[in-house]
Amino acid sequence: MPHPYVLLSAAVSLDGYLDDTGPDRLLLSGPEDFDRVDEVRASVDAILIGAGTIRADNPRLLVNAPERRAARVAGGRPAYPLKVAVSGSGDLDPAAHFWHTGGAKVLYTTDKGAERAGAHGIAADIVPLGTDLDWRRLLTHLYDAYGVRLLMVEGGGLIHTQLLTQGLADELQLVLAPLLVGDPDAARLFGPGTYQGGRLRLRETRPIGDVVLMRYEPTAPGAGPLPVAADHHWLALACELADRCPPSETAFSVGAVVVAADGTELARGHSREGGDPVVHAEEAALAKIDPADPRLPAATVYSSLEPCARRASRPSPCARLILDAGVRRVVTAWREPDTFVAGADGGGVLAAEDALVLVLPEHEEAAEAPNRHLTGR
């Protein structure tokens, strides 16, 4: 189900600590970076923290600059983003600053935690998620019930770890501070867990005073039926490639990307690429890869449109080409309509030979956009 774009934000020491064990909060950033964080807060729909951060830091989690709050209001948004807390136990101090500053608040917890939080008189919407905290359900609820499209997560380390290991973080904004902590009892940014493989992509580096901001995004595809953040990134790229297709009245405009399990892009293609009037996107991409490439069996094909099951222009449809290449995971945005082929079911062809097909309908509008002259929508 659709969920917000999840941005993890943290500052750490050179040796990876969020704090030391002293009685006061260790200030890792300087005034310039605090202002940057305030700017990011002003841009998002909601800010999320865990119960441990509320207990340890007692934060207010506000947009501090009056001009930024005024700009939000002028744009039709509340002065402050929605403040989101997560606690499995629901055992939180009702007098904490978090509940009594800023705008609207929501607490996500378990069924038992909801009873405890209600008994404490927590001043927030209280949403129970069942016997355990379920991050996918939480994110979907934020999207559907509160209209959250951009979510900033400010900690702590356990929450950052859970979101990354479950493939739910779209971006990591990490500030590196020029100091060392060295205390094994201090809180670290990331804990042990089963992280996705591959390297994250560096999107930006920027010095801010004496700290450095680094922005990363995950690249490794998912391995099963649950989509991860990188699946959305790669499928969005496939939809962008569809916009590059020479227009046609007799064929769809489609983009495709083939990505190895470690997040390496193997090839990309789009319909009618290179002046070939009948080449399909998946066909163009796969043709650029050595058929003996050992990475293909664990790769994922991202296609803005469901791979074709039948075609007249070439001997093999794209579903067959994908299977023959050894690929067994396909992510697409849009099921093929009956515009040219009645009962098209490339997904069924793929599934019949044990390929996993994921359809992410939240990308359908982008996939259909260069084809509206064909669909009439």
Side-chain angles (χ1 to χ4, degrees), residues 191-281:
T194 305
Y195 292 91
Q196 285 185 270
R199 301 171 72 88
L200 278 69
R201 178 184 293 113
L202 181 64
R203 294 179 55 184
E204 179 189 5
T205 59
R206 189 197 328 164
I208 305 173
D210 67 348
V211 304
V212 177
L213 168 69
M214 297 171 288
R215 295 175 58 212
Y216 289 96
E217 67 178 16
T219 62
L226 292 176
V228 299
D231 288 327
H232 290 281
H233 295 179
W234 290 115
L235 188 55
L237 173 59
C239 294
E240 291 174 13
L241 292 171
D243 277 328
R244 302 184 187 180
C245 301
S248 172
E249 295 296 326
T250 59
F252 290 111
S253 292
V254 183
V257 191
V258 185
V259 182
D262 66 355
T264 301
E265 180 182 327
L266 300 181
R268 62 175 69 182
H270 59 79
S271 305
R272 300 175 291 283
E273 183 178 317
D276 184 336
V278 297
V279 73
H280 287 195

Side-chain angles (χ1 to χ4, degrees), residues 235 330-335 357-362:
L235 188 55
V330 176
V331 180
T332 185
W334 184 27
R335 290 287 191 187
V357 181
L358 278 68
V359 181
L360 305 184
E362 53 266 50

Side-chain angles (χ1 to χ4, degrees), residues 114-250:
E115 295 177 9
R116 186 176 290 113
H120 286 338
I122 296 295
D125 294 343
I126 299 174
V127 180
L129 295 172
T131 56
D132 298 297
L133 290 174
D134 182 327
W135 278 106
R136 289 180 183 269
R137 185 177 174 191
L138 184 158
L139 293 173
T140 298
H141 190 272
L142 272 177
Y143 187 99
D144 290 339
Y146 294 98
V148 174
R149 299 297 181 265
L150 178 54
L151 174 67
M152 182 181 188
V153 180
E154 294 202 38
L158 177 61
I159 285 180
H160 286 318
T161 298
Q162 290 174 344
L163 288 168
L164 267 179
T165 55
Q166 294 183 40
L168 296 173
D170 292 277
E171 180 180 342
L172 170 61
Q173 293 190 3
L174 181 64
V175 165
L176 191 62
L179 52 83
L180 299 161
V181 173
D183 186 339
D185 295 324
R188 301 188 70 94
L189 175 56
F190 296 121
T194 305
Y195 292 91
Q196 285 185 270
R199 301 171 72 88
L200 278 69
R201 178 184 293 113
L202 181 64
R203 294 179 55 184
E204 179 189 5
T205 59
R206 189 197 328 164
I208 305 173
D210 67 348
V211 304
V212 177
L213 168 69
M214 297 171 288
R215 295 175 58 212
Y216 289 96
E217 67 178 16
T219 62
L226 292 176
V228 299
D231 288 327
H232 290 281
H233 295 179
W234 290 115
L235 188 55
L237 173 59
C239 294
E240 291 174 13
L241 292 171
D243 277 328
R244 302 184 187 180
C245 301
S248 172
E249 295 296 326
T250 59

Side-chain angles (χ1 to χ4, degrees), residues 4-5 7 9 37-50 53-54 59-64 72 79-86 98-99 102-108 135 138 142 148-155 159-160:
Y5 183 97
L7 184 163
S9 175
V37 170
D38 195 63
E39 182 179 22
V40 177
R41 287 180 179 175
S43 72
V44 304
D45 300 309
I47 306 169
L48 182 149
I49 59 172
T53 301
I54 293 176
R60 289 173 170 82
L61 227 63
L62 303 175
V63 175
N64 293 310
R72 286 178 59 88
Y80 297 99
L82 175 70
K83 299 204 302 188
V84 184
V86 180
F98 183 90
W99 314 113
K105 296 98 182 169
V106 57
L107 168 64
Y108 286 97
W135 278 106
L138 184 158
L142 272 177
V148 174
R149 299 297 181 265
L150 178 54
L151 174 67
M152 182 181 188
V153 180
E154 294 202 38
I159 285 180
H160 286 318

